[in-house]
Amino acid sequence: MIPAPFDYVRPTALDEACRLLDDADSGDGDVKVLAGGQSLLPLLRLRLAYPALVVDIGRLEELRGVHDRGDHVFAGALTTHDEVLRSAVVREHAPLLALATATVADPAVRHRGTLGGSLAHADPAGDLPAVALALDCVLVTASARGAREIPAAAFFTGYLETALEPGEILAGVRVPKLGDGWGFHYEKFHRTAQAWAVVGVAAAVRTEGGSIAQARIGLTNMGPVPVRAHAAEAALRGATPAPAGSGGGGSAGGLPGGGRDPVRDACGLADEGASPVADLHAKPDYRRHLARVLTYRAVRSALG
């Protein structure tokens, strides 16, 4: 299909883009920001979006790249998924981001799609919002009014909705370095290699003295926004993983010899507080089952 008519501008500096957005928001009509275009262009072609103006920020080189900032990694919003995957800084200090990014669509999309575009689009079936939530990332915005910092927990406000205000651009993401003792894994169930996740789990687990000292779990596609599995996180603290090769406890959570697997029991709480929806791919009860199973797999893999 052919998009509805719209005006198009392509600024070459961030302050110019912010000024254009500020001027446009004071007028009539919707304004859309174009980054990699992997989400917006299909909406335009299907006429599911009718912007009066599209501001293409693709030339803003100041929003590209991954940087080591001491206690955190800063990734510019226009950094492509492929650039994230190839970044030695990400692999060393934010491996969960790399693990999830590797599952995004296919190589063609990863070469065009951007980290910031994925987060700002806020699709609950997207892989990266759950990672941002699990890692307590901070999203940094820019506008004519100045910069703003938004914790990931407050950024996603509804289905395809964020805390971005009119005239704001997502400039980058601060990813905290979690340090030693942490393990990471992203587990995803999808119909085909390039499909959106039916359910996904981003897990970060820190062990101490043979037991789990801390766990962070973000769920993909378990509601209108990414979900933090707080009940499972709390139950995992202090749990001692079952020995490798024990079979993981079976469907009833038991171990050979009649014991219980506390990690499996804790992961059975992963869907508490979630509100999964029914669609063509899964019913809510099936998504809840997947969340429990995939959380257990992700936590076990993070534990090594």
Side-chain angles (χ1 to χ4, degrees):
M1 293 182 65
I2 300 174
F6 57 83
D7 291 328
Y8 172 87
V9 290
R10 195 176 190 184
T12 57
L14 180 58
D15 58 351
E16 179 189 0
C18 292
R19 186 175 65 255
L20 286 167
L21 286 173
D22 189 55
D23 292 341
D25 284 319
S26 62
D28 296 327
D30 188 21
V31 182
K32 294 293 185 184
V33 174
L34 175 65
Q38 300 305 288
S39 298
L40 180 59
L41 292 182
L43 294 177
L44 294 176
R45 293 189 62 185
L46 293 172
R47 297 204 174 194
L48 296 175
Y50 295 83
L53 174 68
V54 171
V55 179
D56 183 350
I57 61 173
R59 288 183 177 175
L60 305 186
E61 293 300 320
E62 57 207 289
L63 300 187
R64 297 186 185 277
V66 180
H67 312 279
D68 188 335
R69 297 280 176 83
D71 63 344
H72 68 274
V73 172
F74 185 84
L78 288 184
T79 306
T80 67
H81 301 311
D82 181 68
E83 290 167 339
V84 169
L85 285 173
R86 290 188 288 107
S87 168
V89 174
V90 171
R91 290 196 301 271
E92 180 179 0
H93 298 297
L96 183 57
L97 178 59
L99 289 168
T101 301
T103 74
V104 172
D106 54 34
V109 170
R110 292 195 291 269
H111 275 78
R112 290 292 303 171
T114 63
L115 171 62
S118 177
L119 295 174
H121 186 53
D123 193 319
D127 303 291
L128 303 184
V131 173
L133 194 63
L135 294 179
D136 288 330
C137 293
V138 175
L139 291 88
V140 181
T141 74
S143 73
R145 303 179 297 277
R148 192 161 66 104
E149 298 181 352
I150 309 172
F155 184 77
F156 306 101
T157 59
Y159 182 73
L160 303 183
E161 295 180 348
T162 71
L164 286 172
E165 296 178 351
E168 277 190 318
I169 295 174
L170 180 58
V173 185
R174 288 211 316 254
V175 186
K177 295 181 182 178
L178 295 185
D180 297 332
W182 286 90
F184 307 91
H185 190 71
Y186 186 71
E187 189 77 20
K188 178 178 179 178
F189 182 85
H190 48 175
R191 295 174 297 108
T192 61
Q194 292 83 25
W196 296 92
V198 177
V199 172
V201 179
V205 183
R206 181 173 66 87
T207 57
E208 193 174 285
S211 297
I212 296 174
Q214 192 175 359
R216 298 181 178 184
I217 300 168
L219 303 180
T220 295
N221 216 1
M222 284 294 289
V225 296
V227 176
R228 187 78 177 259
H230 291 295
E233 292 177 354
L236 282 167
R237 285 195 291 271
T240 301
S246 66
S251 60
L255 293 171
R260 301 287 300 182
D261 182 353
V263 172
R264 180 182 288 276
D265 290 343
C267 293
L269 304 174
D271 63 315
E272 284 197 11
S275 53
V277 300
D279 57 22
L280 293 174
H281 311 303
K283 293 182 178 180
D285 59 344
Y286 182 52
R287 280 199 162 93
R288 289 185 181 277
H289 168 73
L290 284 176
R292 296 189 293 266
V293 172
L294 298 182
T295 297
Y296 178 70
R297 293 181 184 176
V299 169
R300 291 292 302 195
S301 295
L303 289 168

